[in-house]
Amino acid sequence: MAATLRIQSDWSRALRWEQNGPFLCPCPWKPTLYGSVTRRGLSSDGVPDIVASEGFVVGEVTKKSILISCPHENVSTKFLAPYTSFSRIHQKSITCLDISSGGGLGVSASTDGTMKIWQAANGEIRRLLEGHVYDVNCCRFFPSGLVVLSGGMDAQLKIWSAEDASCVVTFKGHKAGILDTAIVDRGRNVLSCSRDGTARLWDCGKSACLGVIADCGSPVNGIAVGAADNSLNLGTPEKPPSEREVGTEGKILLLAQEDKKLQGVGLQSRQPVFLFVGSDAFNCCTFLSSTYIVAGTQDGNIYQLDVRNTNAPIQVIHRSGAPVLSLLPYRDGFIASQGDGTCFIVQQDLDYVLDLTEADCDPVYKVASWEKEIYTCCRDGIVRRYQLSDL
């Protein structure tokens, strides 16, 4: 078996291993090296015997991973195959998923019109969550792992029991589809953003909207909430916050907007903290710490920013021109997925980039993790489970 190999010589030391023939460089302004790898056979314990073409070095090879380097360019990538895959949870594309805090359950939404809870170990379906009128765009577990929050194209935000699939709360107030959600601390308050350009704060106990945190005038594609660095001025609320607000003090809400803007707003004050303009629409964002954030755009850029000074990014990561669809903090780095099937992990303590393989060219819409296990969902309708315990 021969495979085309591509190394892109940029900051991320990105490298991709394609098993299905030639691969065209999507970023012509960056140097690209081509080579090939060939499997000559299997060892007695079932590990492939791999050799690479001139200029490339095959490092450690296991049944699930292969490390390939280009010493001349000082770049390395480890490719990891899924430990297992679940193809029977949904019939069509899976657009969102999450894993419970204990790692036992998964929840996912699909373009087949369903949202399901399943066993994370084997993909066995446990519950069918029915109640949204149109597609479900986003779903996530509360920290307890017993309750699910979802948002749909019907502009409704719903809370579900993972134990009996009942819908215990429905929030109404958005005027267009809900695109993302976030949970404040343990979950007495939750947040949502919408195509209507607003981000709203909700009181779960009273099933009521506590206020519009931001009205951006453009669809808000993604949000994230996190504790702010002590040196940041988050502003002062124009009126005292409701006693029903719990855990909003000292936090920033990030807003990834369709109009190329990434905005930070004081969650309790509702006052702007920073505004950064990117190269294209922002699709997703997340906190790496109280100081550092990352956000991804439609044209494939991942911006790393220091919230204390957003005049210029710390760095811009660009592996391809495909949309950045999902960002997830992981250990001392993050996981990113893109619209061309790319899904990779960058960590400070690794001297290589880790690529999660097998999605081919299908968009990887969402990534979730629990301890050393990573789950991805894709346009091909498959949930893939990767184990990092051996790395």
Side-chain angles (χ1 to χ4, degrees), residues 160-317:
W160 310 80
S161 166
E163 297 178 306
D164 62 11
S166 61
C167 178
V168 294
V169 175
T170 297
F171 300 107
K172 296 181 180 180
H174 282 294
K175 296 178 175 61
I178 294 171
L179 300 177
D180 199 9
T181 63
I183 296 172
V184 183
D185 291 348
R186 299 299 299 174
R188 290 178 63 179
N189 292 168
V190 298
L191 292 149
S192 61
C193 66
S194 167
R195 293 185 189 276
D196 66 12
T198 68
R200 293 173 178 261
L201 180 69
W202 307 87
D203 175 14
C204 296
K206 295 288 188 181
S207 306
C209 181
L210 292 172
V212 175
I213 305 299
D215 190 345
C216 304
S218 174
V220 182
N221 296 320
I223 54 175
V225 64
D229 184 84
N230 292 332
S231 64
L232 276 181
N233 179 9
L234 300 183
T236 303
E238 294 180 357
K239 59 182 181 180
S242 164
E243 62 180 15
R244 302 295 301 180
E245 280 195 31
V246 180
T248 59
E249 186 177 4
K251 290 187 174 64
I252 299 179
L253 179 66
L254 302 180
L255 303 125
Q257 300 173 199
E258 185 70 20
D259 60 2
K260 304 183 182 182
K261 295 176 182 177
L262 177 71
Q263 189 175 176
V265 176
L267 184 54
Q268 187 178 86
S269 69
R270 279 59 156 174
Q271 301 298 318
V273 177
F274 70 83
L275 178 65
F276 176 80
V277 180
S279 56
D280 205 342
F282 278 99
N283 292 329
C284 51
C285 55
T286 193
F287 283 86
L288 301 182
S289 68
S290 62
T291 305
Y292 300 112
I293 60 174
V294 287
T297 61
Q298 184 69 13
D299 61 357
N301 284 330
I302 300 174
Y303 292 91
Q304 183 177 350
L305 299 164
D306 185 329
V307 295
R308 297 168 299 184
N309 181 5
T310 59
N311 291 330
I314 298 171
Q315 57 187 349
V316 182
I317 305 150

Side-chain angles (χ1 to χ4, degrees), residues 6-71:
R6 182 195 76 156
I7 293 183
Q8 193 169 6
S9 181
D10 60 10
W11 81 272
S12 66
R13 297 166 295 183
L15 175 151
R16 290 189 64 183
W17 180 39
E18 299 294 331
Q19 299 189 38
N20 299 317
F23 185 89
L24 298 177
C25 175
C27 306
W29 61 89
K30 293 184 179 180
T32 299
L33 305 173
Y34 289 89
S36 64
V37 292
T38 303
R39 189 182 72 180
R40 297 186 297 191
L42 294 175
S43 66
S44 58
D45 57 356
V47 175
D49 179 16
I50 303 289
V51 293
S53 57
E54 185 177 356
F56 299 98
V57 176
V58 177
E60 180 187 18
V61 179
T62 71
K63 293 181 180 179
K64 291 293 183 182
S65 68
I66 175 173
L67 178 64
I68 301 178
S69 304
C70 180

Side-chain angles (χ1 to χ4, degrees), residues 361-374:
C361 295
D362 283 316
V364 179
Y365 291 116
K366 198 73 172 180
V367 182
S369 69
W370 178 73
E371 294 188 348
K372 293 186 177 182
E373 295 189 346
I374 294 173

Side-chain angles (χ1 to χ4, degrees), residues 16 18 23 319-320 322-323 325 336-344 355-365 376-380 384 386:
R16 290 189 64 183
E18 299 294 331
F23 185 89
R319 288 192 56 172
S320 79
L325 302 178
S337 71
Q338 295 187 253
D340 59 358
T342 301
C343 188
F344 62 95
D355 268 32
L356 306 181
T357 67
E358 245 189 46
D360 199 10
C361 295
D362 283 316
V364 179
Y365 291 116
T376 65
C377 66
C378 193
R379 187 173 64 184
D380 61 12
R384 293 177 172 87
Y386 301 84

